Amino acid sequence: LPEGWRGKRSFVILENGFGSGLNFLTTWAAWRADPQRPQKLHYLATEMHPFQADDLARLHKQWPEFEFLAEALRNAWPVLMPGFHRLEFAAGRVVLTLLLGDAETSLRKLRASVDAFYLDGFDPHKNPQMWSASLLRRCAQLAAPEATFATWCVAGQVRRALSEAGFAPEKRPGFGRKRQMLAGKIIARPGLRPPAPIPTERHAVVVGAGLAGCAIAARLAARGWQVDVLDRHPEPAGAASGNLAGIVRPMLSRDDNLASRLNRACFHYLQPALQQLDRLGQPPRRNLDGILQIARDDEHEALQRAWLADHAYPESFVQFLDQAQSSLSLGTQTSRGGWWFPHGGWISPPSLCRAWLHAGGSGIRFQGGIEIADLQPAGHGWRLLDSAGANVAEAPVVILATGATPLAPAAGLPITPIRGQVSHLPAGSIPKLAHAACHEGYLTPVLDGLHCLGASYVKESNTALRASEHAENLRRLAGMLPGSEQAFYPENMTGRVGFRATTRDHLPLVGALPDLSATLQAGVRFNTFPRHPGLFGLLGLGSRGLVWSALLAETLACQINGEPLPLE
């Protein structure tokens, strides 16, 4: 490098052992200096024991020539928790994905096609697992057809393991105090399915202008796509994403299950994604200076306290506050103590949708008042028709981001609309809140003269406001701020009804849509299930769209463009 990346649209590097980040900074500097650099540089790096940002600041003083880049890295440094952390630099053209945890475990969870490997573990005698045969075999599985590697290590056991994995190592002159180093390329990749073809015409139609649709439109436009966003409402965020405000918080579970890990990854990605929108001139309305999750009862409060004592969560992620501390934080008396998430809070979904559409500039065209009734294959893409059978749009790529949909390719998916009624409480009718709070429901500070209190959870399609669901929301209020509910009469309250698109396991559906009409052969698995070419879904975000939408949209954009996935 950099000769290997010249003239390419995208280039992917994987480093085993991020350490101080020196290799990343060196590579980023080389990318900046090269007029023939790839349009996008993906840098993936494993790290079992990441440094704190303050440690990095002391280390980076050794290399003043990288101070500008090193400061940007430290400013974006994530909360150090296991999993994948995606950081974006240079307006999204340099993407660092940190894989925090055991290297081999992380690489088994990685989906990528790697062009170059930096093999930089410590001495094989001191850190043998970083040079194990199984880890190097996994590298070979991740290798692109012409992938190269380099390492300072020339130990015989490393040369043999590389050869057995399918690499062709050769000794070359070393650097610094190293007399020799190893470099080479992949010559035998394990039998893997070829990657899905990457669209050559970068034009997509997104059906749905809620959080999911606007997010994926922005992520594609950032990659140079032209995106048409269609919605049956005249303005974006006309359905469930039209609520005045919603909350943002992580989800904890005793076994750190799939939903919790997904939620945590999305939560960590959201804050920098919002800051990126701020720089583009239309900041979403929000306050992410903290949210309090108040315990349900005394037993739950004791469990919350013990839970954090048993888990080594960073305080910048979550803390336990007793009742006195919770009341002081919220600015009014709370029923109990609870978990405090310093970077949670509330966001206005309509403002976030508008910010994403604005971020795409001329790359996004929004058209409202259009109801798509049918979707048909057309040449190398898809034709979208309205209820009269008129052709509305054609594109090689179509993304359904509508929640539940009657369109045939997605009609068989297990998505159920769930009614949610939010109650609006006028400013001054309850004590002033410093932060958002939740307790089997949620309560936001005042926005546009109203607190948002919600939300009901009912399996039916009626859109009318109901006093019974206002009463249910008031019971939630009583669980947070005892006595505050007495100021209201359910029959006189205002609010808004929306419909969540929920799945049976409450996890989202993201990726190429399955061909549900296909005749299946024995042994078909998810990764070999027949798919509709050029047809994708970003569906079933339920009540977590604010937390999930940004990273899930990035995940789908990476799938469509053949880039490394940001999720394990």
Side-chain angles (χ1 to χ4, degrees), residues 27-66:
T27 303
W28 186 4
W31 178 87
R32 281 166 52 94
D34 188 355
Q36 299 180 60
R37 60 180 174 258
Q39 296 175 24
K40 192 154 195 168
L41 176 65
H42 275 279
Y43 195 103
L44 317 171
T46 67
E47 182 54 60
M48 181 70 171
H49 303 289
F51 287 110
Q52 298 288 342
D54 291 346
D55 302 322
L56 289 177
R58 289 191 292 274
L59 288 164
H60 290 163
K61 288 179 180 178
Q62 300 175 70
W63 309 295
E65 66 271 29
F66 296 138

Short mmCIF file of all heavy atoms in Angstrom, two decimals, residues 27-66:
data_model
loop_
_atom_site.label_atom_id
_atom_site.label_comp_id
_atom_site.label_asym_id
_atom_site.label_seq_id
_atom_site.Cartn_x
_atom_site.Cartn_y
_atom_site.Cartn_z
N THR A 27 -2.09 4.90 7.94
CA THR A 27 -2.86 4.56 6.74
C THR A 27 -3.77 5.72 6.34
O THR A 27 -3.88 6.06 5.15
CB THR A 27 -3.71 3.31 7.00
OG1 THR A 27 -2.83 2.24 7.41
CG2 THR A 27 -4.47 2.88 5.76
N TRP A 28 -4.41 6.33 7.31
CA TRP A 28 -5.28 7.47 7.02
C TRP A 28 -4.48 8.62 6.40
O TRP A 28 -4.90 9.24 5.42
CB TRP A 28 -5.96 7.90 8.32
CG TRP A 28 -6.99 8.99 8.18
CD1 TRP A 28 -7.45 9.58 7.04
CD2 TRP A 28 -7.71 9.61 9.26
NE1 TRP A 28 -8.41 10.52 7.33
CE2 TRP A 28 -8.59 10.56 8.68
CE3 TRP A 28 -7.70 9.45 10.64
CZ2 TRP A 28 -9.43 11.36 9.47
CZ3 TRP A 28 -8.56 10.23 11.41
CH2 TRP A 28 -9.41 11.17 10.82
N ALA A 29 -3.29 8.88 6.94
CA ALA A 29 -2.44 9.93 6.39
C ALA A 29 -2.03 9.61 4.95
O ALA A 29 -2.01 10.49 4.08
CB ALA A 29 -1.21 10.13 7.27
N ALA A 30 -1.71 8.34 4.69
CA ALA A 30 -1.35 7.94 3.32
C ALA A 30 -2.54 8.09 2.37
O ALA A 30 -2.38 8.51 1.22
CB ALA A 30 -0.85 6.50 3.33
N TRP A 31 -3.72 7.77 2.86
CA TRP A 31 -4.94 7.93 2.04
C TRP A 31 -5.16 9.40 1.70
O TRP A 31 -5.46 9.76 0.56
CB TRP A 31 -6.13 7.37 2.82
CG TRP A 31 -7.46 7.51 2.13
CD1 TRP A 31 -8.01 6.66 1.23
CD2 TRP A 31 -8.41 8.57 2.31
NE1 TRP A 31 -9.25 7.12 0.83
CE2 TRP A 31 -9.51 8.30 1.47
CE3 TRP A 31 -8.42 9.73 3.09
CZ2 TRP A 31 -10.62 9.15 1.41
CZ3 TRP A 31 -9.53 10.57 3.03
CH2 TRP A 31 -10.60 10.28 2.19
N ARG A 32 -4.99 10.28 2.69
CA ARG A 32 -5.17 11.72 2.46
C ARG A 32 -4.18 12.26 1.44
O ARG A 32 -4.51 13.15 0.64
CB ARG A 32 -5.00 12.48 3.78
CG ARG A 32 -6.20 12.45 4.69
CD ARG A 32 -5.83 12.92 6.10
NE ARG A 32 -5.15 14.20 6.12
CZ ARG A 32 -5.76 15.38 6.29
NH1 ARG A 32 -7.07 15.42 6.42
NH2 ARG A 32 -5.05 16.49 6.34
N ALA A 33 -2.97 11.70 1.45
CA ALA A 33 -1.90 12.23 0.60
C ALA A 33 -1.94 11.69 -0.82
O ALA A 33 -1.20 12.19 -1.68
CB ALA A 33 -0.55 11.93 1.25
N ASP A 34 -2.76 10.69 -1.09
CA ASP A 34 -2.74 10.00 -2.38
C ASP A 34 -3.86 10.52 -3.28
O ASP A 34 -5.04 10.27 -3.01
CB ASP A 34 -2.90 8.50 -2.15
CG ASP A 34 -2.68 7.69 -3.42
OD1 ASP A 34 -2.50 8.31 -4.50
OD2 ASP A 34 -2.70 6.45 -3.35
N PRO A 35 -3.55 11.20 -4.37
CA PRO A 35 -4.60 11.70 -5.26
C PRO A 35 -5.37 10.58 -5.95
O PRO A 35 -6.47 10.80 -6.46
CB PRO A 35 -3.85 12.57 -6.27
CG PRO A 35 -2.44 12.10 -6.21
CD PRO A 35 -2.20 11.61 -4.82
N GLN A 36 -4.80 9.35 -5.97
CA GLN A 36 -5.48 8.21 -6.59
C GLN A 36 -6.11 7.29 -5.55
O GLN A 36 -6.38 6.13 -5.81
CB GLN A 36 -4.49 7.41 -7.43
CG GLN A 36 -3.86 8.21 -8.57
CD GLN A 36 -2.88 7.36 -9.37
OE1 GLN A 36 -3.25 6.33 -9.94
NE2 GLN A 36 -1.63 7.77 -9.38
N ARG A 37 -6.37 7.84 -4.38
CA ARG A 37 -6.93 7.04 -3.28
C ARG A 37 -8.31 6.51 -3.64
O ARG A 37 -9.02 7.08 -4.48
CB ARG A 37 -7.03 7.90 -2.03
CG ARG A 37 -7.92 9.12 -2.20
CD ARG A 37 -7.97 9.93 -0.90
NE ARG A 37 -8.70 11.18 -1.09
CZ ARG A 37 -8.12 12.36 -1.24
NH1 ARG A 37 -6.79 12.45 -1.24
NH2 ARG A 37 -8.84 13.46 -1.40
N PRO A 38 -8.74 5.43 -2.98
CA PRO A 38 -10.10 4.94 -3.18
C PRO A 38 -11.11 5.94 -2.62
O PRO A 38 -10.80 6.70 -1.70
CB PRO A 38 -10.13 3.62 -2.41
CG PRO A 38 -9.05 3.76 -1.39
CD PRO A 38 -7.98 4.61 -2.02
N GLN A 39 -12.32 5.90 -3.17
CA GLN A 39 -13.35 6.82 -2.69
C GLN A 39 -13.66 6.55 -1.21
O GLN A 39 -13.97 7.47 -0.47
CB GLN A 39 -14.62 6.67 -3.52
CG GLN A 39 -14.45 7.07 -4.98
CD GLN A 39 -15.70 6.79 -5.78
OE1 GLN A 39 -16.81 6.71 -5.26
NE2 GLN A 39 -15.53 6.61 -7.09
N LYS A 40 -13.58 5.29 -0.82
CA LYS A 40 -13.92 4.95 0.57
C LYS A 40 -12.90 3.98 1.11
O LYS A 40 -12.54 3.00 0.45
CB LYS A 40 -15.32 4.33 0.63
CG LYS A 40 -15.89 4.22 2.04
CD LYS A 40 -17.40 4.22 2.00
CE LYS A 40 -17.99 4.47 3.37
NZ LYS A 40 -19.42 4.75 3.30
N LEU A 41 -12.44 4.23 2.33
CA LEU A 41 -11.47 3.37 3.00
C LEU A 41 -12.14 2.80 4.25
O LEU A 41 -12.53 3.54 5.15
CB LEU A 41 -10.22 4.15 3.39
CG LEU A 41 -9.16 3.39 4.20
CD1 LEU A 41 -8.56 2.27 3.37
CD2 LEU A 41 -8.08 4.33 4.70
N HIS A 42 -12.29 1.48 4.28
CA HIS A 42 -12.78 0.79 5.47
C HIS A 42 -11.59 0.19 6.21
O HIS A 42 -10.80 -0.56 5.62
CB HIS A 42 -13.74 -0.34 5.10
CG HIS A 42 -15.15 0.11 4.90
ND1 HIS A 42 -16.01 0.31 5.95
CD2 HIS A 42 -15.85 0.39 3.77
CE1 HIS A 42 -17.19 0.69 5.49
NE2 HIS A 42 -17.11 0.75 4.17
N TYR A 43 -11.47 0.52 7.48
CA TYR A 43 -10.39 0.00 8.31
C TYR A 43 -11.04 -0.75 9.48
O TYR A 43 -11.73 -0.17 10.31
CB TYR A 43 -9.53 1.16 8.83
CG TYR A 43 -8.19 0.73 9.39
CD1 TYR A 43 -7.02 0.90 8.66
CD2 TYR A 43 -8.07 0.20 10.68
CE1 TYR A 43 -5.78 0.54 9.17
CE2 TYR A 43 -6.85 -0.18 11.19
CZ TYR A 43 -5.70 0.00 10.44
OH TYR A 43 -4.47 -0.37 10.94
N LEU A 44 -10.84 -2.08 9.50
CA LEU A 44 -11.38 -2.93 10.55
C LEU A 44 -10.24 -3.32 11.48
O LEU A 44 -9.15 -3.63 11.01
CB LEU A 44 -12.00 -4.19 9.94
CG LEU A 44 -12.86 -4.02 8.69
CD1 LEU A 44 -13.22 -5.38 8.09
CD2 LEU A 44 -14.12 -3.25 9.02
N ALA A 45 -10.50 -3.31 12.78
CA ALA A 45 -9.41 -3.62 13.71
C ALA A 45 -9.95 -4.32 14.95
O ALA A 45 -10.90 -3.85 15.58
CB ALA A 45 -8.67 -2.35 14.12
N THR A 46 -9.33 -5.46 15.29
CA THR A 46 -9.67 -6.14 16.53
C THR A 46 -8.86 -5.56 17.68
O THR A 46 -7.76 -5.03 17.47
CB THR A 46 -9.39 -7.65 16.43
OG1 THR A 46 -7.97 -7.86 16.32
CG2 THR A 46 -10.08 -8.27 15.21
N GLU A 47 -9.39 -5.65 18.88
CA GLU A 47 -8.63 -5.23 20.06
C GLU A 47 -9.30 -5.80 21.31
O GLU A 47 -10.48 -5.59 21.55
CB GLU A 47 -8.58 -3.70 20.16
CG GLU A 47 -7.76 -3.20 21.35
CD GLU A 47 -6.35 -3.77 21.38
OE1 GLU A 47 -5.59 -3.55 20.43
OE2 GLU A 47 -6.04 -4.48 22.37
N MET A 48 -8.52 -6.56 22.06
CA MET A 48 -9.02 -7.19 23.28
C MET A 48 -8.95 -6.23 24.48
O MET A 48 -9.82 -6.23 25.35
CB MET A 48 -8.19 -8.44 23.59
CG MET A 48 -8.63 -9.20 24.82
SD MET A 48 -10.22 -10.02 24.60
CE MET A 48 -10.28 -11.01 26.09
N HIS A 49 -7.92 -5.39 24.53
CA HIS A 49 -7.69 -4.51 25.68
C HIS A 49 -7.50 -3.07 25.18
O HIS A 49 -6.38 -2.56 25.15
CB HIS A 49 -6.47 -4.95 26.48
CG HIS A 49 -6.56 -6.37 26.96
ND1 HIS A 49 -7.42 -6.76 27.96
CD2 HIS A 49 -5.92 -7.50 26.56
CE1 HIS A 49 -7.30 -8.07 28.17
NE2 HIS A 49 -6.39 -8.53 27.33
N PRO A 50 -8.59 -2.40 24.81
CA PRO A 50 -8.45 -1.05 24.24
C PRO A 50 -8.01 -0.02 25.28
O PRO A 50 -8.35 -0.12 26.46
CB PRO A 50 -9.86 -0.74 23.73
CG PRO A 50 -10.76 -1.59 24.57
CD PRO A 50 -9.99 -2.85 24.84
N PHE A 51 -7.26 0.96 24.82
CA PHE A 51 -6.83 2.06 25.67
C PHE A 51 -8.00 3.01 25.92
O PHE A 51 -8.90 3.15 25.10
CB PHE A 51 -5.71 2.86 25.00
CG PHE A 51 -4.38 2.15 24.99
CD1 PHE A 51 -3.84 1.68 23.80
CD2 PHE A 51 -3.65 1.99 26.16
CE1 PHE A 51 -2.61 1.04 23.78
CE2 PHE A 51 -2.42 1.35 26.14
CZ PHE A 51 -1.90 0.87 24.95
N GLN A 52 -7.95 3.70 27.05
CA GLN A 52 -8.85 4.83 27.28
C GLN A 52 -8.36 6.02 26.44
O GLN A 52 -7.20 6.08 26.04
CB GLN A 52 -8.86 5.22 28.76
CG GLN A 52 -9.38 4.14 29.69
CD GLN A 52 -10.88 3.92 29.59
OE1 GLN A 52 -11.60 4.78 29.08
NE2 GLN A 52 -11.35 2.78 30.07
N ALA A 53 -9.24 6.96 26.18
CA ALA A 53 -8.87 8.11 25.34
C ALA A 53 -7.72 8.90 25.96
O ALA A 53 -6.84 9.39 25.23
CB ALA A 53 -10.09 9.01 25.13
N ASP A 54 -7.68 9.02 27.30
CA ASP A 54 -6.57 9.74 27.93
C ASP A 54 -5.24 9.04 27.71
O ASP A 54 -4.20 9.69 27.54
CB ASP A 54 -6.84 9.89 29.43
CG ASP A 54 -7.99 10.84 29.74
OD1 ASP A 54 -8.39 11.58 28.82
OD2 ASP A 54 -8.48 10.82 30.87
N ASP A 55 -5.26 7.69 27.74
CA ASP A 55 -4.03 6.94 27.45
C ASP A 55 -3.57 7.21 26.03
O ASP A 55 -2.38 7.38 25.76
CB ASP A 55 -4.27 5.44 27.64
CG ASP A 55 -4.75 5.10 29.04
OD1 ASP A 55 -4.26 5.73 29.99
OD2 ASP A 55 -5.60 4.21 29.17
N LEU A 56 -4.53 7.21 25.10
CA LEU A 56 -4.19 7.48 23.70
C LEU A 56 -3.55 8.86 23.55
O LEU A 56 -2.60 9.03 22.78
CB LEU A 56 -5.44 7.38 22.81
CG LEU A 56 -6.03 5.98 22.61
CD1 LEU A 56 -7.30 6.08 21.77
CD2 LEU A 56 -5.03 5.06 21.91
N ALA A 57 -4.06 9.84 24.27
CA ALA A 57 -3.51 11.20 24.15
C ALA A 57 -2.04 11.22 24.54
O ALA A 57 -1.22 11.89 23.87
CB ALA A 57 -4.32 12.16 25.02
N ARG A 58 -1.68 10.49 25.60
CA ARG A 58 -0.26 10.45 26.01
C ARG A 58 0.58 9.70 24.97
O ARG A 58 1.68 10.12 24.63
CB ARG A 58 -0.14 9.79 27.38
CG ARG A 58 -0.66 10.67 28.52
CD ARG A 58 -0.28 10.11 29.88
NE ARG A 58 -0.97 8.86 30.17
CZ ARG A 58 -2.18 8.79 30.73
NH1 ARG A 58 -2.84 9.90 31.01
NH2 ARG A 58 -2.74 7.63 30.98
N LEU A 59 0.04 8.59 24.45
CA LEU A 59 0.78 7.82 23.46
C LEU A 59 0.98 8.60 22.17
O LEU A 59 2.05 8.56 21.55
CB LEU A 59 0.04 6.52 23.16
CG LEU A 59 0.07 5.46 24.26
CD1 LEU A 59 -1.01 4.41 24.01
CD2 LEU A 59 1.43 4.79 24.32
N HIS A 60 -0.06 9.32 21.75
CA HIS A 60 0.00 10.01 20.46
C HIS A 60 0.98 11.17 20.44
O HIS A 60 1.35 11.65 19.36
CB HIS A 60 -1.40 10.50 20.08
CG HIS A 60 -2.35 9.39 19.73
ND1 HIS A 60 -3.71 9.55 19.69
CD2 HIS A 60 -2.12 8.08 19.42
CE1 HIS A 60 -4.29 8.40 19.36
NE2 HIS A 60 -3.34 7.50 19.20
N LYS A 61 1.43 11.61 21.61
CA LYS A 61 2.42 12.69 21.64
C LYS A 61 3.74 12.25 20.99
O LYS A 61 4.56 13.09 20.62
CB LYS A 61 2.67 13.14 23.08
CG LYS A 61 1.50 13.92 23.67
CD LYS A 61 1.76 14.32 25.11
CE LYS A 61 0.58 15.10 25.68
NZ LYS A 61 0.78 15.46 27.11
N GLN A 62 3.95 10.94 20.88
CA GLN A 62 5.18 10.44 20.24
C GLN A 62 5.21 10.73 18.74
O GLN A 62 6.27 10.67 18.13
CB GLN A 62 5.29 8.93 20.45
CG GLN A 62 5.37 8.50 21.90
CD GLN A 62 5.37 6.99 22.02
OE1 GLN A 62 6.34 6.33 21.64
NE2 GLN A 62 4.26 6.43 22.49
N TRP A 63 4.02 11.00 18.15
CA TRP A 63 3.93 11.18 16.70
C TRP A 63 3.22 12.48 16.38
O TRP A 63 2.06 12.49 15.93
CB TRP A 63 3.19 9.98 16.08
CG TRP A 63 3.76 8.67 16.53
CD1 TRP A 63 5.01 8.17 16.28
CD2 TRP A 63 3.11 7.69 17.36
NE1 TRP A 63 5.18 6.96 16.89
CE2 TRP A 63 4.03 6.63 17.56
CE3 TRP A 63 1.85 7.60 17.95
CZ2 TRP A 63 3.72 5.51 18.32
CZ3 TRP A 63 1.54 6.49 18.71
CH2 TRP A 63 2.46 5.46 18.89
N PRO A 64 3.89 13.61 16.59
CA PRO A 64 3.23 14.91 16.39
C PRO A 64 2.77 15.13 14.95
O PRO A 64 1.87 15.93 14.71
CB PRO A 64 4.31 15.92 16.80
CG PRO A 64 5.61 15.17 16.74
CD PRO A 64 5.28 13.76 17.08
N GLU A 65 3.38 14.41 14.01
CA GLU A 65 2.97 14.59 12.61
C GLU A 65 1.54 14.12 12.36
O GLU A 65 0.92 14.48 11.36
CB GLU A 65 3.93 13.85 11.67
CG GLU A 65 3.93 12.33 11.79
CD GLU A 65 4.91 11.79 12.82
OE1 GLU A 65 5.19 12.53 13.81
OE2 GLU A 65 5.39 10.66 12.66
N PHE A 66 1.00 13.30 13.29
CA PHE A 66 -0.37 12.81 13.13
C PHE A 66 -1.35 13.49 14.09
O PHE A 66 -2.48 13.02 14.25
CB PHE A 66 -0.41 11.29 13.40
CG PHE A 66 0.37 10.47 12.42
CD1 PHE A 66 1.15 9.41 12.87
CD2 PHE A 66 0.33 10.73 11.06
CE1 PHE A 66 1.88 8.63 11.97
CE2 PHE A 66 1.06 9.96 10.16
CZ PHE A 66 1.84 8.91 10.62
#
